[in-house]
Amino acid sequence: MKTFLVTGGAGFIGSNFVLKARHGQWAHIINLDQLTYASNPNSLAVLADDPGYEFIRGDIGDLDLVASILLRYRPDAILNFAAESHVDRSIIGPETFVQTNVVGTFRLLEATRSYWGSLPLEARNIFRFLHVSTDEVYGSLGPNDPPFCEDTPYAPNSPYSASKAASDHLVRAYHHTYGLPTLTTNCSNNYGPYQFPEKLIPLTILSALKGSPLPIYGDGQNIRDWLYVEDHCDAIYQVLEQGNVGETYNIGGLNEKTNLAVVESICTLLDDLAPKIDLKHSSLITFVKDRPGHDKRYAINCKKIHAELGWKPRESFESGLLKTVKWYLENFDWVEQVQSDSYHDWMHKNYAAR
């Protein structure tokens, strides 16, 4: 069985990938994660006694640590999920995003280049470095613009998306300059189990259950393409196993929804699954001051990954959202673990003045 080094594997998308990889026996997993606020090792508690899984706490920017891990475990692939990913936080504190997403990715690439160069020819030919990125690097679409393709020019509009764009460019450069066998995926908005509750869908679910206001930026008409996280993980694995070296693959859920429509759908589900006497959850919707530079619309063209690799999403938005809402209803212990004092401080800081 192969060995994968997964960076950021205790975060939202990373933990879902690690769980699927071990359940499906895709590979032995070495999980390197710094355990920042959005990471939660409890998401992977079921793997505590799994001999095919090992966790290492550390930073992808620690060149010596990464080099030692590569020499010890000799992975066949590196999957880079590690990133600061919340736009609102990047607006308030952009430096952390540059440090993790740009400098961290650079140092990870440097350690990988040295390791890859030391491998025997057969192992070099098998090895892959897969970088997980976002559709936000492409900027914002108008209401009638065609969806983002792999050759859409980059036009990032937030410190977060700019830092991810920079990391994408570094990955591309390391392939073209050094021959490093890289793959890049750019995904649309993910949702599903284990997502940190500062993001729209879990924030709405948990606020509604408390009877708290459901904040929506601006007029709620900003559009995102929603991708169920397990579909995303399947796509990543397919790209890793079958993708053409040096290529980029866009991954989307084919579910364009306004933020308002998403929140209303959650409210409808909660009215059925967790009803409150004399209260419709939609009555909690509260429009708040928009964030600076809020991109109007994202949409993903998935034709390349479908044509070349045969992947397409299995979940509709309706089926994926139902699974997500039920998961949060059934996992209050996990929710309570991640809602620390620092989480509540952040929520107050971001929303109180709006």
Side-chain angles (χ1 to χ4, degrees):
M1 188 180 294
K2 290 182 179 180
T3 297
F4 296 165
L5 172 60
V6 174
T7 68
F12 167 44
I13 303 174
S15 63
N16 276 278
F17 182 87
V18 169
L19 290 169
K20 282 188 72 74
R22 289 307 302 146
H23 183 264
Q25 294 290 294
W26 294 348
H28 297 297
I29 299 294
I30 311 302
N31 178 9
L32 173 64
D33 196 295
Q34 195 175 5
L35 294 185
T36 58
Y37 75 93
S39 300
N40 187 353
N42 292 316
S43 301
L44 300 165
V46 296
L47 302 180
D49 298 320
D50 183 349
Y53 171 75
E54 184 164 344
F55 174 77
I56 300 170
R57 185 171 185 174
D59 185 352
I60 60 170
D62 185 337
L63 195 59
D64 291 338
L65 173 63
V66 175
S68 68
I69 291 170
L70 295 175
L71 289 176
R72 178 180 177 184
Y73 293 99
R74 314 295 288 181
D76 301 286
I78 297 173
L79 296 98
N80 183 30
F81 294 88
E84 295 286 343
S85 66
H86 193 38
V87 173
D88 289 343
R89 288 181 184 262
S90 81
I91 292 169
I92 293 173
E95 185 172 351
T96 302
F97 287 73
V98 174
Q99 190 64 39
T100 298
N101 299 351
V102 184
V103 178
T105 300
F106 159 69
R107 290 178 177 164
L108 180 63
L109 284 165
E110 277 291 275
T112 303
R113 179 166 70 98
S114 178
Y115 165 70
W116 176 70
S118 71
L119 293 174
L121 182 60
E122 183 177 355
R124 281 168 57 96
N125 291 336
I126 293 172
F127 180 82
R128 297 291 184 268
F129 181 102
L130 190 149
H131 177 64
V132 180
S133 190
T134 171
D135 59 357
E136 296 192 37
V137 298
Y138 298 123
S140 183
L141 293 170
N144 299 313
D145 290 337
F148 299 130
C149 297
E150 286 79 3
D151 58 359
T152 298
Y154 276 28
N157 290 321
S158 71
Y160 161 61
S161 57
S163 67
K164 288 299 291 184
S167 67
D168 292 5
H169 291 321
L170 283 168
V171 172
R172 174 184 169 85
Y174 270 65
H175 171 67
H176 285 274
T177 300
Y178 304 113
L180 191 69
T182 64
L183 297 154
T184 298
T185 58
N186 293 84
C187 68
S188 59
N189 278 37
N190 278 223
Y191 68 101
Y194 303 109
Q195 187 169 29
F196 191 72
E198 65 185 358
K199 299 296 180 72
L200 178 63
I201 287 179
L203 175 62
T204 299
I205 296 169
L206 300 176
S207 296
L209 290 173
K210 294 177 183 176
S212 300
L214 308 180
I216 299 180
Y217 288 145
D219 60 4
Q221 296 306 303
N222 299 76
I223 295 171
R224 300 294 182 261
D225 173 23
W226 292 94
L227 172 66
Y228 190 63
V229 67
E230 290 193 20
D231 281 338
H232 185 198
C233 293
D234 288 336
I236 288 170
Y237 183 58
Q238 215 156 329
V239 171
L240 182 68
E241 291 296 296
Q242 302 174 29
N244 294 313
V245 167
E247 291 291 314
T248 293
Y249 293 89
N250 282 353
I251 306 169
L254 306 177
N255 291 304
E256 288 188 58
K257 304 285 182 183
T258 66
N259 289 345
L260 179 58
V262 170
V263 172
E264 289 174 336
S265 295
I266 294 170
C267 290
T268 299
L269 285 173
L270 289 175
D271 286 342
D272 180 46
L273 298 172
K276 294 182 182 294
I277 298 174
D278 298 327
L279 174 69
K280 289 290 187 182
H281 289 94
S282 59
S283 68
L284 300 170
I285 291 174
T286 305
F287 295 96
V288 300
K289 182 181 177 182
D290 208 351
R291 72 183 179 206
H294 196 177
D295 289 340
K296 192 65 180 176
R297 172 176 169 247
Y298 304 146
I300 284 281
N301 182 323
C302 297
K303 290 181 179 179
K304 178 177 178 178
I305 190 172
H306 179 65
E308 293 188 9
L309 308 182
W311 177 87
K312 61 181 179 180
R314 296 180 181 179
E315 298 290 343
S316 66
F317 182 71
E318 291 72 23
S319 64
L321 188 64
L322 178 60
K323 288 182 177 182
T324 302
V325 171
K326 285 183 174 180
W327 187 88
Y328 281 95
L329 290 173
E330 295 165 0
N331 288 274
F332 278 116
D333 288 346
W334 183 91
V335 171
E336 289 177 355
Q337 290 166 354
V338 301
Q339 289 183 319
S340 62
D341 289 342
S342 61
Y343 166 78
H344 291 294
D345 289 344
W346 158 253
M347 295 303 293
H348 179 77
K349 182 178 183 179
N350 192 46
Y351 289 104
R354 296 182 186 273

